[in-house]
PDB file of all heavy atoms in Angstrom:
ATOM      1  N   PHE A   7      -6.968  -0.596 -23.024  1.00  0.00           N
ATOM      2  CA  PHE A   7      -8.095   0.139 -22.458  1.00  0.00           C
ATOM      3  C   PHE A   7      -8.812   0.921 -23.550  1.00  0.00           C
ATOM      4  O   PHE A   7      -8.178   1.434 -24.479  1.00  0.00           O
ATOM      5  CB  PHE A   7      -7.625   1.125 -21.391  1.00  0.00           C
ATOM      6  CG  PHE A   7      -7.124   0.501 -20.121  1.00  0.00           C
ATOM      7  CD1 PHE A   7      -6.856  -0.860 -20.027  1.00  0.00           C
ATOM      8  CD2 PHE A   7      -6.922   1.300 -19.004  1.00  0.00           C
ATOM      9  CE1 PHE A   7      -6.384  -1.416 -18.846  1.00  0.00           C
ATOM     10  CE2 PHE A   7      -6.455   0.753 -17.821  1.00  0.00           C
ATOM     11  CZ  PHE A   7      -6.186  -0.597 -17.739  1.00  0.00           C
ATOM     12  N   PHE A   8     -10.135   1.048 -23.406  1.00  0.00           N
ATOM     13  CA  PHE A   8     -10.932   1.771 -24.391  1.00  0.00           C
ATOM     14  C   PHE A   8     -12.011   2.580 -23.686  1.00  0.00           C
ATOM     15  O   PHE A   8     -12.743   2.055 -22.854  1.00  0.00           O
ATOM     16  CB  PHE A   8     -11.562   0.802 -25.395  1.00  0.00           C
ATOM     17  CG  PHE A   8     -10.555  -0.014 -26.136  1.00  0.00           C
ATOM     18  CD1 PHE A   8     -10.164  -1.261 -25.676  1.00  0.00           C
ATOM     19  CD2 PHE A   8      -9.967   0.467 -27.296  1.00  0.00           C
ATOM     20  CE1 PHE A   8      -9.215  -2.014 -26.347  1.00  0.00           C
ATOM     21  CE2 PHE A   8      -9.017  -0.273 -27.981  1.00  0.00           C
ATOM     22  CZ  PHE A   8      -8.642  -1.517 -27.496  1.00  0.00           C
ATOM     23  N   MET A   9     -12.095   3.860 -24.050  1.00  0.00           N
ATOM     24  CA  MET A   9     -13.073   4.749 -23.455  1.00  0.00           C
ATOM     25  C   MET A   9     -14.222   4.994 -24.426  1.00  0.00           C
ATOM     26  O   MET A   9     -14.020   5.072 -25.637  1.00  0.00           O
ATOM     27  CB  MET A   9     -12.429   6.085 -23.073  1.00  0.00           C
ATOM     28  CG  MET A   9     -13.343   6.996 -22.290  1.00  0.00           C
ATOM     29  SD  MET A   9     -12.486   8.496 -21.725  1.00  0.00           S
ATOM     30  CE  MET A   9     -13.829   9.307 -20.849  1.00  0.00           C
ATOM     31  N   SER A  10     -15.436   5.112 -23.885  1.00  0.00           N
ATOM     32  CA  SER A  10     -16.606   5.404 -24.698  1.00  0.00           C
ATOM     33  C   SER A  10     -17.576   6.249 -23.887  1.00  0.00           C
ATOM     34  O   SER A  10     -17.387   6.448 -22.685  1.00  0.00           O
ATOM     35  CB  SER A  10     -17.277   4.111 -25.179  1.00  0.00           C
ATOM     36  OG  SER A  10     -17.725   3.340 -24.081  1.00  0.00           O
ATOM     37  N   ARG A  11     -18.598   6.751 -24.559  1.00  0.00           N
ATOM     38  CA  ARG A  11     -19.612   7.536 -23.870  1.00  0.00           C
ATOM     39  C   ARG A  11     -20.988   7.200 -24.406  1.00  0.00           C
ATOM     40  O   ARG A  11     -21.149   6.811 -25.568  1.00  0.00           O
ATOM     41  CB  ARG A  11     -19.325   9.035 -24.000  1.00  0.00           C
ATOM     42  CG  ARG A  11     -19.544   9.614 -25.393  1.00  0.00           C
ATOM     43  CD  ARG A  11     -18.930  11.000 -25.532  1.00  0.00           C
ATOM     44  NE  ARG A  11     -19.365  11.906 -24.475  1.00  0.00           N
ATOM     45  CZ  ARG A  11     -18.710  13.007 -24.110  1.00  0.00           C
ATOM     46  NH1 ARG A  11     -17.566  13.338 -24.708  1.00  0.00           N
ATOM     47  NH2 ARG A  11     -19.177  13.772 -23.137  1.00  0.00           N
ATOM     48  N   ASP A  12     -21.993   7.357 -23.565  1.00  0.00           N
ATOM     49  CA  ASP A  12     -23.390   7.215 -23.938  1.00  0.00           C
ATOM     50  C   ASP A  12     -24.083   8.480 -23.462  1.00  0.00           C
ATOM     51  O   ASP A  12     -24.451   8.595 -22.293  1.00  0.00           O
ATOM     52  CB  ASP A  12     -24.008   5.968 -23.309  1.00  0.00           C
ATOM     53  CG  ASP A  12     -25.412   5.687 -23.810  1.00  0.00           C
ATOM     54  OD1 ASP A  12     -26.087   6.622 -24.278  1.00  0.00           O
ATOM     55  OD2 ASP A  12     -25.845   4.522 -23.733  1.00  0.00           O
ATOM     56  N   ASN A  13     -24.246   9.432 -24.371  1.00  0.00           N
ATOM     57  CA  ASN A  13     -24.805  10.725 -23.985  1.00  0.00           C
ATOM     58  C   ASN A  13     -26.252  10.609 -23.513  1.00  0.00           C
ATOM     59  O   ASN A  13     -26.688  11.387 -22.662  1.00  0.00           O
ATOM     60  CB  ASN A  13     -24.706  11.710 -25.146  1.00  0.00           C
ATOM     61  CG  ASN A  13     -23.287  12.137 -25.434  1.00  0.00           C
ATOM     62  OD1 ASN A  13     -22.432  12.121 -24.536  1.00  0.00           O
ATOM     63  ND2 ASN A  13     -23.012  12.517 -26.670  1.00  0.00           N
ATOM     64  N   ALA A  14     -27.010   9.653 -24.063  1.00  0.00           N
ATOM     65  CA  ALA A  14     -28.388   9.461 -23.632  1.00  0.00           C
ATOM     66  C   ALA A  14     -28.465   9.060 -22.169  1.00  0.00           C
ATOM     67  O   ALA A  14     -29.438   9.378 -21.485  1.00  0.00           O
ATOM     68  CB  ALA A  14     -29.080   8.424 -24.509  1.00  0.00           C
ATOM     69  N   LYS A  15     -27.458   8.341 -21.689  1.00  0.00           N
ATOM     70  CA  LYS A  15     -27.393   7.923 -20.294  1.00  0.00           C
ATOM     71  C   LYS A  15     -26.536   8.851 -19.447  1.00  0.00           C
ATOM     72  O   LYS A  15     -26.404   8.630 -18.242  1.00  0.00           O
ATOM     73  CB  LYS A  15     -26.856   6.499 -20.185  1.00  0.00           C
ATOM     74  CG  LYS A  15     -27.749   5.452 -20.830  1.00  0.00           C
ATOM     75  CD  LYS A  15     -27.163   4.057 -20.656  1.00  0.00           C
ATOM     76  CE  LYS A  15     -28.076   3.012 -21.269  1.00  0.00           C
ATOM     77  NZ  LYS A  15     -27.520   1.651 -21.128  1.00  0.00           N
ATOM     78  N   ASN A  16     -25.936   9.865 -20.083  1.00  0.00           N
ATOM     79  CA  ASN A  16     -25.063  10.804 -19.386  1.00  0.00           C
ATOM     80  C   ASN A  16     -23.954  10.062 -18.636  1.00  0.00           C
ATOM     81  O   ASN A  16     -23.639  10.366 -17.481  1.00  0.00           O
ATOM     82  CB  ASN A  16     -25.860  11.687 -18.422  1.00  0.00           C
ATOM     83  CG  ASN A  16     -25.370  13.128 -18.397  1.00  0.00           C
ATOM     84  OD1 ASN A  16     -24.909  13.658 -19.402  1.00  0.00           O
ATOM     85  ND2 ASN A  16     -25.473  13.767 -17.234  1.00  0.00           N
ATOM     86  N   THR A  17     -23.361   9.100 -19.326  1.00  0.00           N
ATOM     87  CA  THR A  17     -22.403   8.188 -18.720  1.00  0.00           C
ATOM     88  C   THR A  17     -21.220   7.965 -19.648  1.00  0.00           C
ATOM     89  O   THR A  17     -21.383   7.907 -20.872  1.00  0.00           O
ATOM     90  CB  THR A  17     -23.077   6.839 -18.406  1.00  0.00           C
ATOM     91  OG1 THR A  17     -24.164   7.054 -17.493  1.00  0.00           O
ATOM     92  CG2 THR A  17     -22.096   5.860 -17.778  1.00  0.00           C
ATOM     93  N   VAL A  18     -20.030   7.850 -19.073  1.00  0.00           N
ATOM     94  CA  VAL A  18     -18.852   7.431 -19.815  1.00  0.00           C
ATOM     95  C   VAL A  18     -18.336   6.134 -19.214  1.00  0.00           C
ATOM     96  O   VAL A  18     -18.602   5.819 -18.045  1.00  0.00           O
ATOM     97  CB  VAL A  18     -17.738   8.498 -19.836  1.00  0.00           C
ATOM     98  CG1 VAL A  18     -18.222   9.764 -20.532  1.00  0.00           C
ATOM     99  CG2 VAL A  18     -17.249   8.809 -18.426  1.00  0.00           C
ATOM    100  N   TYR A  19     -17.561   5.394 -20.006  1.00  0.00           N
ATOM    101  CA  TYR A  19     -17.104   4.076 -19.620  1.00  0.00           C
ATOM    102  C   TYR A  19     -15.611   3.935 -19.882  1.00  0.00           C
ATOM    103  O   TYR A  19     -15.038   4.617 -20.733  1.00  0.00           O
ATOM    104  CB  TYR A  19     -17.836   2.991 -20.402  1.00  0.00           C
ATOM    105  CG  TYR A  19     -19.333   3.067 -20.300  1.00  0.00           C
ATOM    106  CD1 TYR A  19     -20.079   3.754 -21.259  1.00  0.00           C
ATOM    107  CD2 TYR A  19     -20.007   2.460 -19.249  1.00  0.00           C
ATOM    108  CE1 TYR A  19     -21.462   3.828 -21.171  1.00  0.00           C
ATOM    109  CE2 TYR A  19     -21.388   2.535 -19.150  1.00  0.00           C
ATOM    110  CZ  TYR A  19     -22.107   3.215 -20.105  1.00  0.00           C
ATOM    111  OH  TYR A  19     -23.476   3.293 -20.013  1.00  0.00           O
ATOM    112  N   LEU A  20     -15.003   3.019 -19.157  1.00  0.00           N
ATOM    113  CA  LEU A  20     -13.633   2.616 -19.420  1.00  0.00           C
ATOM    114  C   LEU A  20     -13.583   1.099 -19.426  1.00  0.00           C
ATOM    115  O   LEU A  20     -13.730   0.465 -18.380  1.00  0.00           O
ATOM    116  CB  LEU A  20     -12.671   3.171 -18.366  1.00  0.00           C
ATOM    117  CG  LEU A  20     -11.195   2.858 -18.600  1.00  0.00           C
ATOM    118  CD1 LEU A  20     -10.685   3.579 -19.849  1.00  0.00           C
ATOM    119  CD2 LEU A  20     -10.356   3.226 -17.386  1.00  0.00           C
ATOM    120  N   GLN A  21     -13.411   0.525 -20.613  1.00  0.00           N
ATOM    121  CA  GLN A  21     -13.255  -0.912 -20.749  1.00  0.00           C
ATOM    122  C   GLN A  21     -11.778  -1.246 -20.604  1.00  0.00           C
ATOM    123  O   GLN A  21     -10.951  -0.761 -21.376  1.00  0.00           O
ATOM    124  CB  GLN A  21     -13.774  -1.380 -22.107  1.00  0.00           C
ATOM    125  CG  GLN A  21     -13.612  -2.872 -22.357  1.00  0.00           C
ATOM    126  CD  GLN A  21     -14.455  -3.716 -21.439  1.00  0.00           C
ATOM    127  OE1 GLN A  21     -15.635  -3.446 -21.256  1.00  0.00           O
ATOM    128  NE2 GLN A  21     -13.868  -4.736 -20.841  1.00  0.00           N
ATOM    129  N   MET A  22     -11.445  -2.065 -19.625  1.00  0.00           N
ATOM    130  CA  MET A  22     -10.067  -2.421 -19.326  1.00  0.00           C
ATOM    131  C   MET A  22      -9.868  -3.903 -19.617  1.00  0.00           C
ATOM    132  O   MET A  22     -10.541  -4.752 -19.030  1.00  0.00           O
ATOM    133  CB  MET A  22      -9.728  -2.108 -17.871  1.00  0.00           C
ATOM    134  CG  MET A  22      -9.992  -0.662 -17.484  1.00  0.00           C
ATOM    135  SD  MET A  22      -9.470  -0.276 -15.791  1.00  0.00           S
ATOM    136  CE  MET A  22     -10.629  -1.300 -14.877  1.00  0.00           C
ATOM    137  N   ASN A  23      -8.937  -4.205 -20.512  1.00  0.00           N
ATOM    138  CA  ASN A  23      -8.657  -5.576 -20.925  1.00  0.00           C
ATOM    139  C   ASN A  23      -7.202  -5.927 -20.645  1.00  0.00           C
ATOM    140  O   ASN A  23      -6.345  -5.055 -20.523  1.00  0.00           O
ATOM    141  CB  ASN A  23      -8.949  -5.758 -22.411  1.00  0.00           C
ATOM    142  CG  ASN A  23     -10.374  -5.431 -22.785  1.00  0.00           C
ATOM    143  OD1 ASN A  23     -11.311  -5.846 -22.108  1.00  0.00           O
ATOM    144  ND2 ASN A  23     -10.544  -4.702 -23.886  1.00  0.00           N
ATOM    145  N   ILE A  24      -6.934  -7.221 -20.594  1.00  0.00           N
ATOM    146  CA  ILE A  24      -5.589  -7.744 -20.356  1.00  0.00           C
ATOM    147  C   ILE A  24      -4.966  -7.018 -19.168  1.00  0.00           C
ATOM    148  O   ILE A  24      -3.857  -6.486 -19.247  1.00  0.00           O
ATOM    149  CB  ILE A  24      -4.705  -7.630 -21.616  1.00  0.00           C
ATOM    150  CG1 ILE A  24      -5.489  -7.976 -22.889  1.00  0.00           C
ATOM    151  CG2 ILE A  24      -3.488  -8.560 -21.506  1.00  0.00           C
ATOM    152  CD1 ILE A  24      -4.722  -7.788 -24.169  1.00  0.00           C
ATOM    153  N   LEU A  25      -5.673  -7.011 -18.077  1.00  0.00           N
ATOM    154  CA  LEU A  25      -5.239  -6.272 -16.907  1.00  0.00           C
ATOM    155  C   LEU A  25      -3.963  -6.863 -16.316  1.00  0.00           C
ATOM    156  O   LEU A  25      -3.761  -8.077 -16.326  1.00  0.00           O
ATOM    157  CB  LEU A  25      -6.339  -6.249 -15.855  1.00  0.00           C
ATOM    158  CG  LEU A  25      -7.472  -5.258 -16.163  1.00  0.00           C
ATOM    159  CD1 LEU A  25      -8.717  -5.600 -15.359  1.00  0.00           C
ATOM    160  CD2 LEU A  25      -7.010  -3.834 -15.876  1.00  0.00           C
ATOM    161  N   LYS A  26      -3.123  -5.977 -15.810  1.00  0.00           N
ATOM    162  CA  LYS A  26      -1.853  -6.331 -15.206  1.00  0.00           C
ATOM    163  C   LYS A  26      -1.824  -5.851 -13.761  1.00  0.00           C
ATOM    164  O   LYS A  26      -2.527  -4.902 -13.414  1.00  0.00           O
ATOM    165  CB  LYS A  26      -0.699  -5.684 -15.977  1.00  0.00           C
ATOM    166  CG  LYS A  26      -0.680  -5.976 -17.464  1.00  0.00           C
ATOM    167  CD  LYS A  26       0.409  -5.170 -18.156  1.00  0.00           C
ATOM    168  CE  LYS A  26       0.430  -5.434 -19.645  1.00  0.00           C
ATOM    169  NZ  LYS A  26       1.486  -4.642 -20.323  1.00  0.00           N
ATOM    170  N   PRO A  27      -1.000  -6.473 -12.913  1.00  0.00           N
ATOM    171  CA  PRO A  27      -0.904  -5.989 -11.533  1.00  0.00           C
ATOM    172  C   PRO A  27      -0.555  -4.509 -11.445  1.00  0.00           C
ATOM    173  O   PRO A  27      -1.021  -3.832 -10.519  1.00  0.00           O
ATOM    174  CB  PRO A  27       0.209  -6.862 -10.938  1.00  0.00           C
ATOM    175  CG  PRO A  27       0.108  -8.137 -11.701  1.00  0.00           C
ATOM    176  CD  PRO A  27      -0.244  -7.718 -13.106  1.00  0.00           C
ATOM    177  N   GLU A  28       0.233  -3.993 -12.366  1.00  0.00           N
ATOM    178  CA  GLU A  28       0.595  -2.583 -12.348  1.00  0.00           C
ATOM    179  C   GLU A  28      -0.562  -1.655 -12.691  1.00  0.00           C
ATOM    180  O   GLU A  28      -0.430  -0.430 -12.579  1.00  0.00           O
ATOM    181  CB  GLU A  28       1.783  -2.299 -13.275  1.00  0.00           C
ATOM    182  CG  GLU A  28       1.622  -2.861 -14.675  1.00  0.00           C
ATOM    183  CD  GLU A  28       2.327  -4.189 -14.854  1.00  0.00           C
ATOM    184  OE1 GLU A  28       2.198  -5.058 -13.964  1.00  0.00           O
ATOM    185  OE2 GLU A  28       3.004  -4.369 -15.885  1.00  0.00           O
ATOM    186  N   ASP A  29      -1.697  -2.211 -13.114  1.00  0.00           N
ATOM    187  CA  ASP A  29      -2.898  -1.411 -13.315  1.00  0.00           C
ATOM    188  C   ASP A  29      -3.638  -1.142 -12.011  1.00  0.00           C
ATOM    189  O   ASP A  29      -4.607  -0.378 -12.006  1.00  0.00           O
ATOM    190  CB  ASP A  29      -3.846  -2.102 -14.292  1.00  0.00           C
ATOM    191  CG  ASP A  29      -3.283  -2.195 -15.695  1.00  0.00           C
ATOM    192  OD1 ASP A  29      -2.670  -1.215 -16.166  1.00  0.00           O
ATOM    193  OD2 ASP A  29      -3.470  -3.258 -16.331  1.00  0.00           O
ATOM    194  N   THR A  30      -3.208  -1.768 -10.928  1.00  0.00           N
ATOM    195  CA  THR A  30      -3.839  -1.557  -9.630  1.00  0.00           C
ATOM    196  C   THR A  30      -3.738  -0.090  -9.231  1.00  0.00           C
ATOM    197  O   THR A  30      -2.648   0.472  -9.172  1.00  0.00           O
ATOM    198  CB  THR A  30      -3.188  -2.445  -8.564  1.00  0.00           C
ATOM    199  OG1 THR A  30      -3.426  -3.817  -8.877  1.00  0.00           O
ATOM    200  CG2 THR A  30      -3.759  -2.143  -7.188  1.00  0.00           C
ATOM    201  N   ALA A  31      -4.876   0.526  -8.971  1.00  0.00           N
ATOM    202  CA  ALA A  31      -4.915   1.949  -8.646  1.00  0.00           C
ATOM    203  C   ALA A  31      -6.343   2.342  -8.309  1.00  0.00           C
ATOM    204  O   ALA A  31      -7.284   1.574  -8.523  1.00  0.00           O
ATOM    205  CB  ALA A  31      -4.414   2.789  -9.821  1.00  0.00           C
ATOM    206  N   VAL A  32      -6.484   3.552  -7.798  1.00  0.00           N
ATOM    207  CA  VAL A  32      -7.791   4.180  -7.715  1.00  0.00           C
ATOM    208  C   VAL A  32      -8.022   4.912  -9.028  1.00  0.00           C
ATOM    209  O   VAL A  32      -7.186   5.716  -9.452  1.00  0.00           O
ATOM    210  CB  VAL A  32      -7.894   5.149  -6.531  1.00  0.00           C
ATOM    211  CG1 VAL A  32      -9.250   5.845  -6.520  1.00  0.00           C
ATOM    212  CG2 VAL A  32      -7.676   4.406  -5.215  1.00  0.00           C
ATOM    213  N   TYR A  33      -9.139   4.649  -9.659  1.00  0.00           N
ATOM    214  CA  TYR A  33      -9.465   5.238 -10.949  1.00  0.00           C
ATOM    215  C   TYR A  33     -10.491   6.344 -10.764  1.00  0.00           C
ATOM    216  O   TYR A  33     -11.517   6.150 -10.115  1.00  0.00           O
ATOM    217  CB  TYR A  33     -10.000   4.176 -11.907  1.00  0.00           C
ATOM    218  CG  TYR A  33      -8.906   3.304 -12.468  1.00  0.00           C
ATOM    219  CD1 TYR A  33      -8.273   2.356 -11.670  1.00  0.00           C
ATOM    220  CD2 TYR A  33      -8.485   3.442 -13.791  1.00  0.00           C
ATOM    221  CE1 TYR A  33      -7.251   1.569 -12.169  1.00  0.00           C
ATOM    222  CE2 TYR A  33      -7.466   2.655 -14.300  1.00  0.00           C
ATOM    223  CZ  TYR A  33      -6.853   1.721 -13.480  1.00  0.00           C
ATOM    224  OH  TYR A  33      -5.840   0.939 -13.988  1.00  0.00           O
ATOM    225  N   TYR A  34     -10.202   7.504 -11.357  1.00  0.00           N
ATOM    226  CA  TYR A  34     -11.041   8.684 -11.219  1.00  0.00           C
ATOM    227  C   TYR A  34     -11.615   9.107 -12.563  1.00  0.00           C
ATOM    228  O   TYR A  34     -10.879   9.228 -13.542  1.00  0.00           O
ATOM    229  CB  TYR A  34     -10.242   9.855 -10.655  1.00  0.00           C
ATOM    230  CG  TYR A  34      -9.699   9.629  -9.267  1.00  0.00           C
ATOM    231  CD1 TYR A  34      -8.425   9.107  -9.077  1.00  0.00           C
ATOM    232  CD2 TYR A  34     -10.458   9.942  -8.152  1.00  0.00           C
ATOM    233  CE1 TYR A  34      -7.921   8.899  -7.809  1.00  0.00           C
ATOM    234  CE2 TYR A  34      -9.961   9.741  -6.879  1.00  0.00           C
ATOM    235  CZ  TYR A  34      -8.688   9.217  -6.714  1.00  0.00           C
ATOM    236  OH  TYR A  34      -8.196   9.021  -5.456  1.00  0.00           O
ATOM    237  N   CYS A  35     -12.893   9.351 -12.601  1.00  0.00           N
ATOM    238  CA  CYS A  35     -13.548   9.972 -13.741  1.00  0.00           C
ATOM    239  C   CYS A  35     -13.430  11.488 -13.600  1.00  0.00           C
ATOM    240  O   CYS A  35     -13.554  12.023 -12.494  1.00  0.00           O
ATOM    241  CB  CYS A  35     -15.016   9.540 -13.768  1.00  0.00           C
ATOM    242  SG  CYS A  35     -16.001  10.249 -15.096  1.00  0.00           S
ATOM    243  N   VAL A  36     -13.181  12.180 -14.722  1.00  0.00           N
ATOM    244  CA  VAL A  36     -12.971  13.625 -14.662  1.00  0.00           C
ATOM    245  C   VAL A  36     -13.651  14.335 -15.821  1.00  0.00           C
ATOM    246  O   VAL A  36     -13.891  13.749 -16.883  1.00  0.00           O
ATOM    247  CB  VAL A  36     -11.469  13.984 -14.674  1.00  0.00           C
ATOM    248  CG1 VAL A  36     -10.742  13.316 -13.521  1.00  0.00           C
ATOM    249  CG2 VAL A  36     -10.825  13.623 -16.004  1.00  0.00           C
ATOM    250  N   VAL A  37     -13.947  15.608 -15.614  1.00  0.00           N
ATOM    251  CA  VAL A  37     -14.284  16.534 -16.690  1.00  0.00           C
ATOM    252  C   VAL A  37     -13.004  17.256 -17.067  1.00  0.00           C
ATOM    253  O   VAL A  37     -12.356  17.871 -16.212  1.00  0.00           O
ATOM    254  CB  VAL A  37     -15.361  17.540 -16.260  1.00  0.00           C
ATOM    255  CG1 VAL A  37     -15.606  18.564 -17.368  1.00  0.00           C
ATOM    256  CG2 VAL A  37     -16.656  16.830 -15.901  1.00  0.00           C
ATOM    257  N   CYS A  38     -12.623  17.182 -18.334  1.00  0.00           N
ATOM    258  CA  CYS A  38     -11.429  17.841 -18.829  1.00  0.00           C
ATOM    259  C   CYS A  38     -11.765  19.254 -19.292  1.00  0.00           C
ATOM    260  O   CYS A  38     -12.826  19.496 -19.864  1.00  0.00           O
ATOM    261  CB  CYS A  38     -10.819  17.064 -19.988  1.00  0.00           C
ATOM    262  SG  CYS A  38     -10.545  15.306 -19.665  1.00  0.00           S
ATOM    263  N   VAL A  39     -10.842  20.179 -19.070  1.00  0.00           N
ATOM    264  CA  VAL A  39     -11.052  21.557 -19.490  1.00  0.00           C
ATOM    265  C   VAL A  39     -11.028  21.674 -21.009  1.00  0.00           C
ATOM    266  O   VAL A  39     -11.774  22.467 -21.592  1.00  0.00           O
ATOM    267  CB  VAL A  39     -10.003  22.481 -18.846  1.00  0.00           C
ATOM    268  CG1 VAL A  39     -10.068  23.885 -19.425  1.00  0.00           C
ATOM    269  CG2 VAL A  39     -10.199  22.513 -17.332  1.00  0.00           C
ATOM    270  N   ALA A  40     -10.186  20.893 -21.681  1.00  0.00           N
ATOM    271  CA  ALA A  40     -10.054  20.943 -23.130  1.00  0.00           C
ATOM    272  C   ALA A  40      -9.647  19.579 -23.656  1.00  0.00           C
ATOM    273  O   ALA A  40      -9.281  18.683 -22.891  1.00  0.00           O
ATOM    274  CB  ALA A  40      -9.028  21.997 -23.548  1.00  0.00           C
ATOM    275  N   TYR A  41      -9.702  19.421 -24.969  1.00  0.00           N
ATOM    276  CA  TYR A  41      -9.220  18.201 -25.604  1.00  0.00           C
ATOM    277  C   TYR A  41      -7.757  17.977 -25.232  1.00  0.00           C
ATOM    278  O   TYR A  41      -6.955  18.902 -25.263  1.00  0.00           O
ATOM    279  CB  TYR A  41      -9.364  18.309 -27.115  1.00  0.00           C
ATOM    280  CG  TYR A  41      -8.942  17.071 -27.872  1.00  0.00           C
ATOM    281  CD1 TYR A  41      -9.838  16.028 -28.075  1.00  0.00           C
ATOM    282  CD2 TYR A  41      -7.651  16.948 -28.385  1.00  0.00           C
ATOM    283  CE1 TYR A  41      -9.458  14.893 -28.763  1.00  0.00           C
ATOM    284  CE2 TYR A  41      -7.270  15.816 -29.069  1.00  0.00           C
ATOM    285  CZ  TYR A  41      -8.173  14.785 -29.262  1.00  0.00           C
ATOM    286  OH  TYR A  41      -7.788  13.656 -29.952  1.00  0.00           O
ATOM    287  N   GLY A  42      -7.439  16.736 -24.883  1.00  0.00           N
ATOM    288  CA  GLY A  42      -6.115  16.399 -24.405  1.00  0.00           C
ATOM    289  C   GLY A  42      -6.052  16.234 -22.906  1.00  0.00           C
ATOM    290  O   GLY A  42      -5.130  15.598 -22.392  1.00  0.00           O
ATOM    291  N   CYS A  43      -7.005  16.810 -22.197  1.00  0.00           N
ATOM    292  CA  CYS A  43      -7.164  16.680 -20.750  1.00  0.00           C
ATOM    293  C   CYS A  43      -5.892  17.075 -19.998  1.00  0.00           C
ATOM    294  O   CYS A  43      -5.507  16.426 -19.023  1.00  0.00           O
ATOM    295  CB  CYS A  43      -7.593  15.257 -20.371  1.00  0.00           C
ATOM    296  SG  CYS A  43      -8.645  15.202 -18.895  1.00  0.00           S
ATOM    297  N   GLY A  44      -5.266  18.137 -20.451  1.00  0.00           N
ATOM    298  CA  GLY A  44      -4.123  18.653 -19.726  1.00  0.00           C
ATOM    299  C   GLY A  44      -4.490  19.329 -18.416  1.00  0.00           C
ATOM    300  O   GLY A  44      -3.634  19.507 -17.550  1.00  0.00           O
ATOM    301  N   GLU A  45      -5.737  19.714 -18.290  1.00  0.00           N
ATOM    302  CA  GLU A  45      -6.239  20.329 -17.067  1.00  0.00           C
ATOM    303  C   GLU A  45      -7.609  19.743 -16.760  1.00  0.00           C
ATOM    304  O   GLU A  45      -8.413  19.542 -17.660  1.00  0.00           O
ATOM    305  CB  GLU A  45      -6.331  21.848 -17.224  1.00  0.00           C
ATOM    306  CG  GLU A  45      -6.755  22.582 -15.966  1.00  0.00           C
ATOM    307  CD  GLU A  45      -6.783  24.089 -16.144  1.00  0.00           C
ATOM    308  OE1 GLU A  45      -6.267  24.574 -17.169  1.00  0.00           O
ATOM    309  OE2 GLU A  45      -7.317  24.788 -15.272  1.00  0.00           O
ATOM    310  N   VAL A  46      -7.867  19.476 -15.486  1.00  0.00           N
ATOM    311  CA  VAL A  46      -9.101  18.845 -15.051  1.00  0.00           C
ATOM    312  C   VAL A  46      -9.971  19.846 -14.314  1.00  0.00           C
ATOM    313  O   VAL A  46      -9.488  20.590 -13.454  1.00  0.00           O
ATOM    314  CB  VAL A  46      -8.808  17.636 -14.153  1.00  0.00           C
ATOM    315  CG1 VAL A  46     -10.098  17.072 -13.562  1.00  0.00           C
ATOM    316  CG2 VAL A  46      -8.075  16.566 -14.940  1.00  0.00           C
ATOM    317  N   ASP A  47     -11.259  19.835 -14.645  1.00  0.00           N
ATOM    318  CA  ASP A  47     -12.211  20.742 -14.015  1.00  0.00           C
ATOM    319  C   ASP A  47     -12.885  20.111 -12.806  1.00  0.00           C
ATOM    320  O   ASP A  47     -13.055  20.760 -11.776  1.00  0.00           O
ATOM    321  CB  ASP A  47     -13.253  21.177 -15.040  1.00  0.00           C
ATOM    322  CG  ASP A  47     -14.319  22.069 -14.442  1.00  0.00           C
ATOM    323  OD1 ASP A  47     -14.038  23.265 -14.253  1.00  0.00           O
ATOM    324  OD2 ASP A  47     -15.436  21.566 -14.172  1.00  0.00           O
ATOM    325  N   THR A  48     -13.303  18.852 -12.928  1.00  0.00           N
ATOM    326  CA  THR A  48     -14.083  18.171 -11.896  1.00  0.00           C
ATOM    327  C   THR A  48     -13.609  16.731 -11.747  1.00  0.00           C
ATOM    328  O   THR A  48     -13.328  16.069 -12.750  1.00  0.00           O
ATOM    329  CB  THR A  48     -15.583  18.184 -12.241  1.00  0.00           C
ATOM    330  OG1 THR A  48     -16.022  19.536 -12.422  1.00  0.00           O
ATOM    331  CG2 THR A  48     -16.405  17.533 -11.134  1.00  0.00           C
ATOM    332  N   TRP A  49     -13.536  16.261 -10.509  1.00  0.00           N
ATOM    333  CA  TRP A  49     -13.138  14.889 -10.199  1.00  0.00           C
ATOM    334  C   TRP A  49     -14.285  14.109  -9.585  1.00  0.00           C
ATOM    335  O   TRP A  49     -15.072  14.647  -8.807  1.00  0.00           O
ATOM    336  CB  TRP A  49     -11.978  14.862  -9.202  1.00  0.00           C
ATOM    337  CG  TRP A  49     -10.701  15.460  -9.698  1.00  0.00           C
ATOM    338  CD1 TRP A  49     -10.378  16.787  -9.745  1.00  0.00           C
ATOM    339  CD2 TRP A  49      -9.565  14.748 -10.189  1.00  0.00           C
ATOM    340  NE1 TRP A  49      -9.102  16.940 -10.246  1.00  0.00           N
ATOM    341  CE2 TRP A  49      -8.586  15.707 -10.518  1.00  0.00           C
ATOM    342  CE3 TRP A  49      -9.277  13.397 -10.379  1.00  0.00           C
ATOM    343  CZ2 TRP A  49      -7.336  15.351 -11.032  1.00  0.00           C
ATOM    344  CZ3 TRP A  49      -8.041  13.044 -10.886  1.00  0.00           C
ATOM    345  CH2 TRP A  49      -7.084  14.012 -11.207  1.00  0.00           C
TER     346      TRP A  49
END
């Protein structure tokens, strides 16, 4: 998996490759409080 951002579009992305059945889930975009994302501000 690889994450990127496009600030001009105010958008972030998650590129997911070589997907496995165990990757099945609901995926949530979040605003992290700090680097490392130990705490989430917005879901």
Side-chain angles (χ1 to χ4, degrees):
F7 290 12
F8 301 92
M9 187 175 180
S10 62
R11 71 194 308 159
D12 187 337
N13 290 334
K15 296 181 179 179
N16 219 33
T17 300
V18 298
Y19 305 94
L20 183 67
Q21 178 66 47
M22 305 184 294
N23 302 315
I24 320 176
L25 283 161
K26 306 174 181 180
E28 50 262 45
D29 294 319
T30 295
V32 177
Y33 283 72
Y34 297 92
C35 178
V36 303
V37 175
C38 309
V39 172
Y41 182 86
C43 212
E45 184 178 348
V46 173
D47 177 79
T48 303
W49 296 81

